[in-house]
Amino acid sequence: MNNSIVFTNTLSIVVPCYNEEESVPLFYAETLKQERFFHEKGIEFEFVFVDDGSRDKTAQAVKTLRENDERVHLVSFSRNFGKESAIYAGLEKANGDVVVLMDADLQDPPALLPEMYSYIESGQDFVGTRRVDRKGEPPIRSWFARRFYGLMRNISKTDIVDGARDYRMMTRKVCDAILSMKEYNRFSKGIFGWVGFDTKWIEYENIKRAAGETKWSFRKLFLYSLEGIMAFSTMPLTLSFFFGMLFCVLALALLIFIIVRTAAFGDAFAGVPLVICAVLFVGGIQLLCIGILGSYLSKTYLEVKQRPIYIVKEEF
Ligand code: UDP
Ligand code: MG
C-alpha cells in the first residue's frame, strides 16, 4: 500500500523513530515552526516517520498527527531493525525533490533547515551537520569516538567525518545514490561518504535530547564501530596477512639461530621455554587472524542471503 501524495516541490523530512512517542509530537510542532520560510518559496513539507519496531505508542502518535495533516506518512516495521534500516525505508518512501534526515529527539535542530536549504538552492547536492563539541556525553565515550574516527580515516578510503550527524539534507540525485546501495550491513556514515558529492558542513553545538533516552549503550556503539570498520575497510585482512609474513620471517630466523647454536654449543634443548612462548604467541595471533577472517566471512554470508533490509507491518 503506497498512497503517498506526489508534490512537485517537496521537502521530505525523514525521521527514524524507536520508542519516541513523547518526541514525535514535539518534533512535529518544532519543525512546523520553520514552515513559513519554505512556504514563501512554494515548497511543501512531507513527513516520513519510520517506526522502527517501537515498543511504545510511537505509531499511534504518528497516526494522531495524520488525522490533521495529510502530509504525515508512516512506515512501521514488524520489529526493531535498527536506525540504518529505518533511514533506508524512510528515504525509499520519500517523494521530495529534496530530502532531509532528522532524529526524532530534536537533537538535530529544525532551526538549521532554512540555512541547509539555502545551500541546496545555491547548487550544493549534499549538506551535512557536525557537532563541534560532545558536551553532555561521558568523556570515555568521546575518547573512544575520537579514536574510532582517527582509525577510520587511516584505514578506509571513504571520507568519514568526526562529529558528523545523520542530520543531512540532500537532493533527489544523492537520495537515489544512497538507495542504490542495497547492502544488508548498513553503516550510514560510511555510505554517505562513499556516494561522494561535495558536502557542505554546517557546525553546531551539541543539544540534549528533548524527551526519552538514548538508544545507544556503550556496548552497542562499540559493536557498531566494528561494523563500520568491516563495512568500509579491508585493512584488518591486510593486517593479518602482514602478521603471517612477519611471523614466517621470525620463525625462520629463530630456526637458523637454534641450528647454529646447537652446532656451536651442542645443547639442543636449551631455550625450550623461549620456543614454547613463541609457539603460544604465534598460535594466538593465528586465532586472532582466523577471527578477523571469520568476521568478514559472516558479513559476506549475511549479504549473500539477500535478506530484505526491513519488513513493513503497516504504512500510509
Ligand atoms: N533510532 C531508531 N532505531 C534504533 C535506535 C534509534 O530508529 O534502533 C532512532 C531514534 O529514535 C532517534 C535516532 O535514531 O530518532 C537517534 O537515536 P538516539 O537519539 O538514541 O541516538 P543519539 O542521539 O543518542 O546518538
Ligand atoms: Mg539523539
Side-chain angles (χ1 to χ4, degrees):
M1 185 176 79
N2 191 342
N3 47 8
S4 331
I5 313 148
V6 183
F7 297 105
T8 41
N9 239 332
T10 308
L11 173 69
S12 296
I13 302 172
V14 171
V15 197
C17 308
Y18 178 51
N19 296 343
E20 303 280 10
E21 63 175 342
E22 294 165 62
S23 304
V24 164
L26 293 175
F27 172 85
Y28 176 76
E30 200 59 37
T31 308
L32 277 188
K33 289 185 187 158
Q34 303 303 322
E35 209 181 10
R36 249 201 44 220
F37 171 87
F38 290 93
H39 266 169
E40 277 164 14
K41 294 178 182 289
I43 295 160
E44 195 64 60
F45 276 1
E46 173 195 60
F47 289 92
V48 180
F49 290 96
V50 183
D51 168 23
D52 183 10
S54 300
R55 272 173 302 216
D56 65 358
K57 299 198 171 60
T58 300
Q60 195 49 52
V62 178
K63 284 177 194 161
T64 311
L65 297 179
R66 167 72 174 207
E67 283 165 16
N68 300 311
D69 190 346
E70 284 275 294
R71 304 166 304 171
V72 173
H73 298 273
L74 171 75
V75 182
S76 197
F77 288 177
S78 59
R79 64 168 171 86
N80 180 242
F81 279 86
K83 186 182 179 188
E84 304 295 337
S85 303
I87 290 177
Y88 191 86
L91 292 182
E92 236 179 1
K93 179 93 175 166
N95 289 308
D97 322 278
V98 180
V99 181
V100 64
L101 263 177
M102 295 175 83
D103 283 1
D105 56 9
L106 289 173
Q107 276 186 313
D108 298 336
L112 288 180
L113 286 173
E115 187 187 350
M116 289 169 93
Y117 189 80
S118 64
Y119 287 111
I120 296 275
E121 241 178 357
S122 62
Q124 198 78 35
D125 277 309
F126 217 168
V127 182
T129 56
R130 293 184 55 196
R131 292 189 298 184
V132 282
D133 64 351
R134 292 178 166 273
K135 236 187 286 167
E137 191 183 65
I140 181 98
R141 185 174 288 199
S142 308
W143 189 84
F144 272 104
R146 285 214 185 83
R147 295 292 86 74
F148 169 71
Y149 285 110
L151 182 70
M152 269 316 243
R153 254 196 304 282
N154 288 325
I155 66 173
S156 157
K157 287 191 196 77
T158 311
D159 187 22
I160 293 169
V161 180
D162 187 5
R165 308 259 323 157
D166 291 338
Y167 185 15
R168 282 163 185 263
M169 192 180 276
M170 62 196 94
T171 56
R172 178 52 38 199
K173 234 185 325 188
V174 179
C175 179
D176 288 343
I178 293 170
L179 287 175
S180 73
M181 293 178 78
K182 297 186 190 305
E183 58 213 70
Y184 180 76
N185 293 293
R186 303 189 73 76
F187 181 67
S188 283
K189 289 184 190 343
I191 291 177
F192 295 151
W194 194 91
V195 296
F197 295 102
D198 271 347
T199 305
K200 168 76 195 167
W201 292 100
I202 296 177
E203 303 190 335
Y204 70 98
E205 285 190 1
N206 199 16
I207 299 167
K208 282 222 174 79
R209 241 178 184 282
E213 53 193 49
T214 177
K215 313 298 179 299
W216 294 95
S217 61
F218 186 76
R219 190 180 136 266
K220 243 178 140 180
L221 273 179
F222 182 72
L223 293 177
Y224 183 63
S225 65
L226 288 187
E227 194 115 317
I229 291 174
M230 282 196 281
F232 281 90
S233 165
T234 47
M235 189 51 100
L237 289 174
T238 316
L239 259 172
S240 17
F241 179 74
F242 171 77
F243 275 133
M245 299 269 282
L246 181 73
F247 284 107
C248 280
V249 172
L250 282 180
L252 198 68
L254 192 64
L255 187 71
I256 293 170
F257 170 74
I258 290 171
I259 291 173
V260 170
R261 201 187 50 180
T262 310
F265 303 104
D267 182 2
F269 292 100
V272 167
L274 172 73
V275 174
I276 291 177
C277 285
V279 166
L280 285 179
F281 181 59
V282 175
I285 299 281
Q286 273 174 346
L287 285 180
L288 178 80
C289 293
I290 293 175
I292 293 174
L293 197 64
S295 306
Y296 278 94
L297 189 67
S298 71
K299 296 278 167 215
T300 314
Y301 176 59
L302 285 174
E303 222 50 85
V304 165
K305 283 189 187 186
Q306 297 225 330
R307 287 187 178 162
I309 296 169
Y310 60 90
I311 307 259
V312 175
K313 185 171 75 182
E314 188 187 5
E315 68 178 310
F316 53 74

